[in-house]
Amino acid sequence: MYLLGIDLGTSSIKVSVIDAHTQQCVASAHHPEKEAEIKSLQSGWAEQSPKDWWENTQIALLKLNKTGKYQSQDIKAIGIAYQMHGLVAVDKHLNPLRDSIIWCDSRAVEIGEKAFDDIGHEQCLSHLLNSPGNFTAAKLAWVKQNEPELYSRIHKVMLPGDYIAMMLTGSITTSIPALSEGIFWDFKNDELSKDVIQYFGIEKDLIPEIRPLFSNHGEVKPDIAAALGLSAGIPVAYKAGDQPNNALSLNVLKPGEVAATAGTSGVIYGVSDRLDYDLQSRINTFAHVNYTPSQKYTGILLCINGVGSMYRWAKHNFAPNIDYKDLNTLAAESPIGSNGIKVLPFGNGAERMLGNKYTSVQFHGIDLNRHNQSDIFRSVQEGIACAFRYGLDIMKENGMTPNVIRAGHANLFLSPVFAQAFVDLSGVTLELYDNNGSVGAALGAGIGANIYADATEAFNKFGYIKKIEPLQQQANEEIYLAWKEILIKAIN
């Protein structure tokens, strides 16, 4: 028996099949091979085509089947992870009305800030646990204000993963965690937020049917099953945003447990059993995958928009012909502190942890006669690690003080320089696991389809592959304080 996981990322669609008994991945694939395009029609805008997501999903699944490592007819359930906070709007024929306004798009910041003021800060924070900010509800309000004719034709609005589920099954559903990440959910009353719906003038029937996150969200249609080599009728049994899903894939489900990721964006995500919020909305609280009205587990999320994007940009512009593994080796040739170079890695839109300010990427201290490629790439990695430390300090202000952080052994955590800098700057032990989002989504499908009794059973063969302890905290603390001084000047 097999389980299929689909991870709709910003750069590609990743798919994996796991053996439900061994909980081991038997095959993985992704598409496109090169990173997917982000359309930026104006400064601060970011869009992607839902039709491209679906095409890439199909190609990735067919690649996966060609590995011959499993019988596709033996797949019994599908799980989907997806980039959070995006807006997909479809008409009554289920066709997308426009490109998706994705997570790092900044166009709705002012709309969200005005809603925060008009609804009232205390009302928003105590009920939504967030400012409306730049999330899905505010993006929908932007469409209503700026594209009224298109808005009038909207049948349903959804998040990116809901669109892929719809294409597989024909069904459109949502969940409490999904609504919370769009800032549509009232935690105090456990219902769709009347404040948000009424303030933005959003029709309630645009919101899909609400189902438990771990449940049947539709069954694969016969024509789709035939095209993709699947059995008709298998359920999409799990849908979750990429960061809650990353936490699930790392078995981060209990209060006090913390996960991190350093992909396109950088995230620290901690689980709490309290309905807490940051007074400045620098970090955000959403319903975790295991949230229920009787067990209100939340995920406290700190996001840095441009982590992987920053490193990719540096590679493209400073070393286009060197692969990432060799870049990491090159970075290790520079000493701690990168011979004095400091980097602010904030060049991918407004940063919530900086109060929705946009500093742009900044390099400080470059000496044309002294510095080389190794210094540049180490400084980029150290700058990103400093950004994580800055965010972790905000989380500590809000009561999240981890002793251990779990992360997948992937993306920037593949770099020994970055991983050690992350640990030394945070002062927290790091456990690295051999996992990815599509594997987590597959395990989530097993829980949602009742193949596993619960998450404990789904992760009973779970263990880390590497542990990293702090080594040079004092040297890194001095680097961080100098970096922070530059940041404070940039945002004030």
Side-chain angles (χ1 to χ4, degrees):
M1 182 191 306
Y2 297 104
L3 302 168
L4 171 63
I6 301 170
D7 182 9
L8 194 174
T10 309
S11 57
S12 70
I13 307 291
K14 305 173 187 70
V15 292
S16 293
V17 166
I18 69 164
D19 183 309
H21 175 67
T22 65
Q23 299 169 7
Q24 298 300 305
C25 180
V26 297
S28 292
H30 72 277
H31 194 80
E33 296 298 326
K34 294 184 178 179
E35 294 177 357
E37 176 189 8
I38 296 177
K39 303 174 186 177
S40 185
L41 304 179
Q42 294 187 31
S43 177
W45 289 23
E47 301 182 359
Q48 289 186 320
S49 166
K51 291 182 178 179
D52 288 349
W53 293 338
W54 176 235
E55 180 180 354
N56 291 336
T57 299
Q58 295 178 86
I59 293 171
L61 287 173
L62 293 173
K63 282 184 185 178
L64 194 64
N65 290 343
K66 287 181 180 179
T67 64
K69 295 181 179 179
Y70 61 92
Q71 293 295 320
S72 61
Q73 296 292 315
D74 292 334
I75 292 172
K76 299 303 181 185
I78 301 172
I80 300 173
Y82 55 86
Q83 48 174 291
M84 298 171 72
H85 315 307
L87 171 67
V88 180
V90 298
D91 63 20
K92 62 183 179 180
H93 303 295
L94 308 189
N95 295 314
L97 288 166
R98 67 175 333 281
D99 283 345
S100 172
I101 303 174
I102 66 170
W103 60 278
C104 56
D105 187 289
S106 301
R107 75 186 70 183
V109 168
E110 291 184 3
I111 291 173
E113 289 179 344
K114 187 174 188 302
F116 194 34
D117 291 337
D118 290 350
I119 295 171
H121 290 202
E122 194 281 331
Q123 180 74 5
C124 284
L125 294 174
S126 62
H127 286 258
L128 307 173
L129 307 185
N130 300 282
S131 159
N134 190 37
F135 297 104
T136 314
K139 290 168 181 170
L140 180 59
W142 183 92
V143 172
K144 185 177 183 181
Q145 289 181 21
N146 293 275
E147 300 172 345
E149 190 280 329
L150 184 152
Y151 180 88
S152 71
R153 292 187 285 125
I154 296 176
H155 170 60
K156 295 292 178 187
V157 295
M158 64 190 85
L159 296 167
D162 301 326
Y163 177 79
I164 298 301
M166 181 196 78
M167 295 303 293
L168 288 165
T169 69
S171 299
I172 306 176
T173 69
T174 188
S175 65
I176 291 174
L179 290 168
S180 78
E181 73 172 82
I183 317 300
F184 287 107
W185 192 251
D186 184 326
F187 283 88
K188 184 171 284 189
N189 297 321
D190 262 322
E191 64 181 11
L192 199 63
S193 171
K194 292 184 177 69
D195 290 329
V196 169
I197 293 295
Q198 292 173 3
Y199 178 81
F200 287 137
I202 296 168
E203 295 79 4
K204 286 181 68 174
D205 61 5
L206 297 186
I207 306 298
E209 175 189 349
I210 303 172
R211 295 186 184 178
L213 185 143
F214 294 102
S215 70
N216 188 322
H217 290 275
E219 298 170 353
V220 176
K221 298 183 294 182
D223 59 327
I224 297 299
L228 298 177
L230 302 171
S231 296
I234 61 174
V236 172
Y238 167 86
K239 296 186 297 181
D242 52 8
Q243 300 310 323
N245 177 74
N246 181 60
L248 173 76
S249 72
L250 293 165
N251 198 22
V252 170
L253 295 166
K254 298 176 183 177
E257 295 179 335
V258 177
T261 184
T264 302
S265 62
V267 170
I268 301 176
Y269 184 99
V271 180
S272 174
D273 56 1
R274 299 177 298 178
L275 298 182
D276 287 336
Y277 50 84
D278 177 49
L279 290 172
Q280 300 177 52
S281 273
R282 297 166 298 174
I283 57 177
N284 302 105
T285 303
F286 307 112
H288 195 27
V289 294
N290 53 352
Y291 177 99
T292 66
S294 60
Q295 180 181 274
K296 298 190 175 186
Y297 284 1
T298 59
I300 300 174
L301 184 152
L302 170 114
C303 181
I304 308 162
N305 285 348
V307 166
S309 298
M310 173 76 226
Y311 203 46
R312 178 187 65 208
W313 177 89
K315 176 188 182 306
H316 176 76
N317 286 283
F318 296 125
N321 299 317
I322 302 177
D323 64 27
Y324 285 108
K325 183 177 179 180
D326 289 338
L327 281 186
N328 294 335
T329 300
L330 188 63
E333 295 176 4
S334 180
I336 291 175
S338 309
N339 282 317
I341 301 177
K342 302 288 187 295
V343 176
L344 299 185
F346 306 116
N348 198 25
E351 295 282 355
R352 289 197 296 277
M353 78 169 186
L354 302 181
N356 279 327
K357 294 181 179 178
Y358 177 59
T359 68
S360 75
V361 168
Q362 298 181 26
F363 284 79
H364 289 258
I366 292 178
D367 184 326
L368 300 180
N369 298 311
R370 181 184 179 201
H371 293 121
N372 55 34
Q373 278 186 319
S374 64
D375 298 320
I376 292 292
F377 285 101
R378 183 172 194 118
S379 69
V380 170
Q381 294 193 21
E382 288 182 339
I384 293 168
C386 284
F388 270 104
R389 160 65 188 278
Y390 186 86
L392 185 59
D393 285 351
I394 295 172
M395 296 187 79
K396 288 179 178 178
E397 290 176 24
N398 286 271
M400 186 64 63
T401 55
N403 295 315
V404 175
I405 295 176
R406 297 175 185 169
H409 191 223
N411 301 313
L412 270 169
F413 282 111
L414 290 169
S415 166
V417 167
F418 173 78
Q420 191 64 57
F422 178 93
V423 171
D424 287 336
L425 284 161
S426 68
V428 180
T429 298
L430 177 68
E431 293 177 352
L432 293 175
Y433 293 79
D434 185 12
N435 82 316
N436 63 55
S438 56
V439 169
L443 289 168
I447 298 169
N450 297 316
I451 292 167
Y452 304 124
D454 52 30
T456 299
E457 183 178 340
F459 291 95
N460 61 13
K461 299 178 174 66
F462 190 72
Y464 61 83
I465 59 174
K466 183 184 292 187
K467 178 184 282 190
I468 302 175
E469 304 279 3
L471 290 178
Q472 300 195 56
Q473 286 183 262
Q474 183 58 44
N476 280 275
E477 184 69 14
E478 292 172 4
I479 292 166
Y480 174 70
L481 292 175
W483 178 92
K484 184 179 178 181
E485 185 176 345
I486 293 169
L487 174 63
I488 297 304
K489 289 180 180 177
I491 61 178
N492 289 330

